């Protein structure tokens, strides 16, 4: 995306503010036109005074009063117009900045888990904050300063040619020199600035990664090492930044040199033309003022181009995320089925992550409301993939998944996921109050409902013991709670949501025996009357399952109740013998596939 197209996209994001934007455009045109009246009027006044003096006459005060009155009028107009432009340009930019920031945040949240798994959260946060900051700066700069500068050049050059084409040529040459220098500097620095921005992204990612793992840093005495590595990133950033700064410093020197030579040329040429009678003193003064105005606007334009080039890599990253189309989204005509009963059916479902290696293949099974279906198997066998397909983290390449007889792709995503509750292996909590974490399950939950949910989830005891109430904060990622306490709080959240379909993704794998017993009692409560899918490696958690599905290489190789599978003497029976008789470690590693 080149600079011009990128800048056009920045302006296109004005959205609902376009009427105000067009008003600001008109105001800038009026302001730019009015500003050039002052040098012309000054030149006329000087010509009137010098002409009268040359003729030995008294200046005509009526003529001077008219010129001075017009000058005052134009001056007041430019002051009022400039004030309104500055005021409303700032308001427009601030409003749109926050609208775009919110829209970007919403868009990022809709991107699939696979995208977030490959993109660091620190990088996404940096793109959001710096991208919207860059948009704000460019909007303000465009409407408050640079549009009027551009219009001024378009207005001034024709006017100057009309007044005195010989002196006007000097201004045109100045504009050409500025344009050439700016183009050369942009070409030299654009690629270099992209490298600088990559280093900024690395800096944000590393700092966020370190702060997010502060316990690891401190426990392994990594403080000095992490700081040293961050310093290396900063040094690489500065090494990349210095050449860019040098080029723009050179541009500043060259433009100042060009402006000084132009002013000197106007004085010399204007003097010669005056002696020859091809220019007046007033015209010479007018062009001196014209040159000052043009130089100020050209320098402002160069500064603006510098800012655009500097912000371009950030904006490209921002738009790259903005343009990412979620692979999973609502289809046209998607419906909201309301509360589902929970009858789930997999019909010849196959899926591959890369189109080469099959993750799951030809899955056929069903679950009736109230049943508990357990999925067991080795790491990479396809258990988690099958469940991910159920709540549409991905869509199958072939086959379909039905709930209550309807393909889930016909449901609105939000409606589908509203009917599915998930208790993750790692209890995910916000750095917010207990109440806010619970209300993720039900936004309008009352305190009585929350109290009932945490009591059923075996969590009320530790909440009353460790906190003053539901308004207390649990800390970042729930760090003020133990693993078992976090898990019970997430179970309470699922109870509040009260979904017809529940997914338990290794909900007790990381807990000690005593805590697991408490959590299992909570899970028994939350599983009542729901279609429940349990991903498990500890077979003690699936003994009560209505049916157990044994996965291997993406296929279901065995299914039945616990007792039926043990009697069958197959893969599951061997695992059960290891876990319950010999006490040997499981052949199924405790990780998420």
């Amino acid at each position: 995306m080149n600079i011009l197209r990128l800048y056009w996209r920045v302006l296109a994001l004005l959205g609902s503010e376009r009427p105000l934007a067009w008003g600001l455009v008109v105001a800038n045109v009026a302001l730019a036109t009015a500003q050039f009246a002052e040098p012309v009027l000054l030149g006329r006044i000087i010509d009137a005074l010098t002409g009268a003096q040359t003729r030995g006459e008294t200046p005509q005060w009526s003529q001077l009063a008219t010129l001075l009155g017009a000058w005052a009028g134009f001056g007041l107009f430019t002051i009022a117009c400039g004030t309104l432009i500055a005021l409303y340009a700032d308001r427009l930019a601030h409003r749109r900045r926050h609208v775009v920031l919110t829209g970007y945040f919403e868009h990022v949240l809709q991107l699939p888990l696979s995208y977030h798994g490959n993109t660091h959260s620190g990088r996404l946060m940096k793109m959001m904050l710096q991208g919207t900051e860059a948009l704000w700066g460019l909007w303000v700069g465009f409407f408050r300063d640079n549009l009027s500068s551009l219009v001024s050049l378009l207005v001034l050059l024709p006017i100057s040619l009309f007044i005195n084409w010989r002196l006007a040529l000097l201004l045109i040459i100045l504009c050409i020199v500025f344009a050439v220098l700016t183009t050369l500097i942009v070409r030299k620095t654009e690629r270099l600035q992209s490298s600088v921005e990559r280093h900024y992204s690395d800096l944000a990612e590393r700092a966020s990664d370190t702060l997010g793992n502060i316990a690891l840093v401190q426990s392994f005495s990594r403080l000095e090492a992490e700081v040293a590595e961050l310093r290396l990133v900063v040094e690489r950033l500065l090494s990349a930044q210095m050449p860019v700064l040098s080029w723009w410093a050179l541009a500043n020197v060259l433009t100042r040199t060009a402006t000084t030579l132009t002013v000197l040329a106007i004085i010399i040429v204007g003097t010669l033309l005056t002696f020859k009678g091809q220019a007046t003193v007033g015209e010479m003064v007018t062009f001196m003022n014209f040159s000052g105005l043009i130089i100020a606007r050209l320098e402002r334009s160069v500064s603006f181009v510098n800012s655009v080039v500097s912000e371009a890599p950030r904006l490209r990253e921002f738009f790259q995320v903005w343009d990412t189309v979620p692979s999973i989204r609502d289809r046209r005509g998607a419906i909201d089925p309301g509360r589902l009963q929970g009858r789930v059916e997999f019909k010849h479902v196959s899926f591959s992550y890369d189109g080469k290696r099959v993750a799951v293949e030809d899955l056929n099974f069903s679950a009736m409301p109230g049943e508990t279906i357990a999925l067991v198997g080795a790491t990479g066998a396809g258990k988690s993939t099958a469940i991910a397909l159920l709540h549409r983290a991905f869509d199958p390449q072939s086959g379909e998944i039905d709930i209550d007889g309807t393909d889930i792709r016909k449901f609105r995503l939000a409606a589908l996921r509203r009917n599915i509750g998930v208790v993750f292996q790692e209890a995910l909590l916000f750095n917010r109050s207990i109440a806010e974490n619970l209300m993720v399950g039900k936004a309008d939950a009352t305190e009585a409902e929350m109290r009932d949910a945490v009591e059923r989830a075996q969590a009320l005891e530790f909440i009353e013991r460790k906190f003053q109430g539901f308004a207390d904060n649990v800390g970042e990622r729930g760090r003020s709670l133990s693993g078992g306490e976090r898990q019970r709080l997430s179970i309470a959240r699922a109870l509040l949501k009260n979904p017809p379909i529940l997914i338990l993704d290794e909900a007790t794998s990381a807990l000690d025996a005593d805590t697991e017993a408490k959590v299992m009692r909570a899970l028994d409560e939350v599983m009542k009357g729901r279609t429940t899918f349990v991903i498990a490696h500890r077979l003690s958690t699936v003994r009560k399952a209505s049916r157990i599905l044994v996965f291997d290489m993406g296929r279901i190789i065995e299914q039945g109740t616990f007792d039926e599978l043990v009697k069958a003497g197959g893969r599951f029976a061997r695992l059960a013998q290891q876990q319950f008789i010999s006490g040997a470690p499981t052949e199924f590693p405790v990780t998420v596939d």
Side-chain angles (χ1 to χ4, degrees), residues 10 137 152 218 326 369 525 543 580 584 592:
V10 170
S152 295
Q218 292 182 353
E525 182 67 26
R543 293 199 71 153
F580 293 109
V592 178

Side-chain angles (χ1 to χ4, degrees), residues 3-253:
I3 294 292
L4 291 178
R5 186 182 171 201
L6 189 68
Y7 194 43
W8 178 252
R9 287 206 65 180
V10 170
L11 295 179
L13 279 178
L14 290 171
S16 61
E17 298 286 351
R18 285 177 185 170
L20 176 57
W22 279 112
L24 289 171
V25 169
V26 173
N28 272 281
V29 172
L31 177 63
T33 305
Q35 284 177 331
F36 287 105
E38 295 183 19
V40 174
L41 290 171
L42 177 60
R44 296 289 175 85
I45 291 172
I46 289 175
D47 280 341
L49 292 172
T50 56
Q53 186 179 28
T54 301
R55 293 189 300 270
E57 300 174 355
T58 302
Q60 297 181 12
W61 290 107
S62 59
Q63 180 185 7
L64 292 175
T66 301
L67 292 172
L68 290 170
W71 192 351
F74 278 113
L76 291 173
F77 176 80
T78 57
I79 291 172
C81 196
T83 302
L84 290 174
I85 287 173
L87 178 64
Y88 284 99
D90 275 345
R91 292 185 175 185
L92 176 149
H94 276 288
R95 284 199 297 263
R96 287 306 300 172
R97 174 190 185 181
H98 292 104
V99 169
V100 172
L101 185 147
T102 305
Y104 177 94
F105 184 67
E106 181 181 9
H107 174 73
V108 168
L109 292 181
Q110 292 173 343
L111 294 176
L113 292 176
S114 57
Y115 180 90
H116 288 278
N118 294 323
T119 309
H120 196 279
S121 58
R123 187 178 292 265
L124 288 173
M125 183 65 70
K126 174 251 183 190
M127 290 178 190
M128 180 177 73
L129 297 178
Q130 293 190 352
T132 52
E133 179 74 17
L135 290 171
W136 173 83
L138 294 180
W139 286 328
V140 169
F142 179 77
F143 287 109
R144 194 170 61 191
D145 299 316
N146 297 286
L147 179 57
S148 63
S149 297
L150 177 61
V151 174
S152 295
L153 295 176
L154 297 177
V155 170
L156 182 143
L157 293 178
I159 291 176
S160 64
L161 285 169
F162 177 77
I163 295 173
N164 191 311
W165 66 268
R166 295 175 180 86
L167 292 173
L169 287 177
L170 296 174
L171 299 180
I172 292 173
I173 291 171
L174 176 63
C175 291
I176 292 173
V177 169
F178 262 86
V180 171
L181 287 176
T182 303
T183 301
L184 289 175
I185 298 301
V186 166
R187 288 182 177 178
K188 289 290 186 181
T189 59
E190 190 174 1
R191 180 179 54 82
L192 295 174
Q193 189 62 40
S194 296
S195 175
V196 171
E197 197 54 37
R198 284 194 296 273
H199 289 302
Y200 271 115
S201 294
D202 292 341
L203 178 64
E205 184 173 326
R206 176 165 287 277
S208 175
D209 197 36
T210 302
L211 292 173
N213 292 282
I214 189 65
L216 178 65
V217 171
Q218 292 182 353
S219 62
F220 280 81
S221 300
R222 285 280 305 174
L223 193 149
E224 292 183 1
E226 292 296 326
V227 172
E229 290 177 12
L230 191 69
R231 284 199 184 101
L232 289 176
V233 175
V234 172
E235 288 174 6
R236 288 194 292 268
L237 190 157
L238 289 174
S239 297
Q241 183 74 74
M242 290 306 171
V244 178
L245 298 178
S246 298
W247 276 108
W248 283 109
L250 177 62
N252 186 56
V253 171

